[in-house]
Every structure is written in structure tokens, then in C-alpha cells.
Amino acid sequence: MEDKIRMMISEEEIAKRVGELAEQINEKYKGKEITLICILKGSIFFTADLARRLNGPVKMEYMRCSSYGDSTNSSGEVKVVIDVDCDIEGKDVIVVEDIVDTGRTLWHLMNMLKERKPQSLALAALLDKPERRVKEVAVDYVGFTIPDEFVVGYGLDFAQKHRELPYIGVVENE
Ligand code: PRP
């Protein structure tokens, strides 16, 4: 069955908002080296677009955690599948996520990264779904606060599909 997708946030709206977040970050870090940690797979587009709007210098790192299977509900389990390959001690780190949903993934991840003693640790999330929150997570840079609907596109998937869409859409299957 083909998925029915309704557009929620357009490509233009995303680009504008990412630019605004980058401005806030540039203002705050003022030329300090920033280590961006892109959380695979969903945040590759957001990380790539955000990084290119930063004044730099920027280092890029990647992590992959597993939380969901191919379902629309979080299993509650969080495992680090791929870790960064550098020591973040003393670094100014910004974790870049596509979405904070229940908060379980980021809660575990941020606590784990804090133990590695970065100089500073912040979280940027393109999407925030506060209605779904189970674990308290402080999101420093939020792109859009959205209602509890299943979203895809701009990196986000439904059973690994639709990541390539340039916009954020809602899956409206029956
Ligand atoms: C998504 C998202 C977060 C997490 C958020 O990743 O990128 O990491 O779920 O959910 P939570 O707040 O309920 O923990 P996902 O596991 O779908 O991986 P993917 O980015 O590889 O698709």
C-alpha cells in the first residue's frame, strides 16, 4: 500500500528556521570551535543544513542509537550502536537530532555524553513533540514544536521509507 502523506512543514519553512537556529548558535558560540554530533540516521539533513549555516570552525561527529524498531512506537530501549570517534572532553558540543519524542533516547544520550566532560553540551532538535514526553529533556534549540502526529521526511522515516522527502509530512494511513 502506498503511504498517504500530508505536508506539515515545507522545505522553505525548514530552511528559514534552520537559518534562525544557526544565527542563535553563531551568536552564542562566537567563533568557538563547535563539535556537532549528528545522531544517525534521521538527523543527517538537519545536521548538514545547520552546519553549512554556522560561521565555524565546526567538527562533525556521528552517533547512532537504536530506540524504535519499524513501528511507530518507541520500545523504550536505547542502545549506542555507533559511537563518536573522538574524545569530547573540553569540547563545545551540540547534539543534533531530528526529533525528540518520548525523550528516552536523548535522556540517556545526554547523560552519557555529560560524563565525558565536554566544556559545554547543548541539544538542537528540529522537531519537538512535548505531548509524548516520558523523560525530561532540555532542548536548547528547537526548530518546530509539533502535535502528536507521525511525521516523515527531511531524514525522518516510516519503516525506513520517506527519509528523502525535502519537507516534513504526516503519514495519514488508515
Ligand atoms: C528517532 C529520533 C530520536 C528518537 C526520538 O530515532 O531520531 O533518536 O527516535 O525518540 P524518543 O524521544 O522517543 O527516544 P530512530 O530510533 O527512529 O532512528 P533513526 O534516526 O535511525 O530513524
Side-chain angles (χ1 to χ4, degrees), residues 17-18 21 25 43 46 50 94-101 106 122-129 133 137-145 154:
R17 188 68 189 125
V18 172
L21 295 180
I25 294 170
S43 67
F46 179 37
L50 184 67
I94 303 178
V95 172
V96 186
E97 256 295 16
D98 49 357
I99 187 164
V100 182
D101 190 357
L106 271 306
L123 173 60
L126 182 71
L127 304 175
D128 186 9
K129 251 191 208 177
R133 206 70 102 248
V137 172
V139 189
D140 303 276
Y141 305 96
V142 180
F144 302 90
T145 300
Y154 197 68

Side-chain angles (χ1 to χ4, degrees), residues 41-42 64 67-68 97-99 101-103 105 157 163:
K41 301 175 187 173
R64 176 148 164 70
S67 57
Y68 301 3
E97 256 295 16
D98 49 357
I99 187 164
D101 190 357
T102 65
T105 309
D157 74 306
R163 291 193 197 272

Side-chain angles (χ1 to χ4, degrees), residues 75-142:
S75 66
E77 279 175 44
V78 176
K79 207 168 70 185
V80 175
V81 182
I82 298 171
D83 206 341
V84 293
D85 61 9
C86 75
D87 186 359
I88 62 164
E89 185 170 342
K91 305 279 187 194
D92 290 298
V93 174
I94 303 178
V95 172
V96 186
E97 256 295 16
D98 49 357
I99 187 164
V100 182
D101 190 357
T102 65
R104 287 190 182 102
T105 309
L106 271 306
W107 187 86
H108 285 281
L109 195 63
M110 296 303 276
N111 284 332
M112 198 182 86
L113 292 174
K114 236 176 259 164
E115 284 171 18
R116 299 183 188 181
K117 303 190 170 61
Q119 169 76 32
S120 65
L121 181 64
L123 173 60
L126 182 71
L127 304 175
D128 186 9
K129 251 191 208 177
E131 280 172 47
R132 296 259 306 164
R133 206 70 102 248
V134 172
K135 288 275 190 186
E136 194 75 30
V137 172
V139 189
D140 303 276
Y141 305 96
V142 180

Side-chain angles (χ1 to χ4, degrees), residues 4-14 98-99 126-131 143-154 156 165-172:
K4 260 184 70 188
I5 297 168
R6 165 174 53 89
M7 169 133 76
M8 180 193 254
I9 307 168
S10 71
E11 205 176 338
E12 293 72 24
E13 288 173 293
I14 296 171
D98 49 357
I99 187 164
L126 182 71
L127 304 175
D128 186 9
K129 251 191 208 177
E131 280 172 47
F144 302 90
T145 300
I146 60 165
D148 183 13
E149 293 185 289
F150 197 84
V151 285
V152 294
Y154 197 68
L156 290 139
L165 294 175
Y167 56 87
I168 304 284
V170 180
V171 180
E172 290 197 314

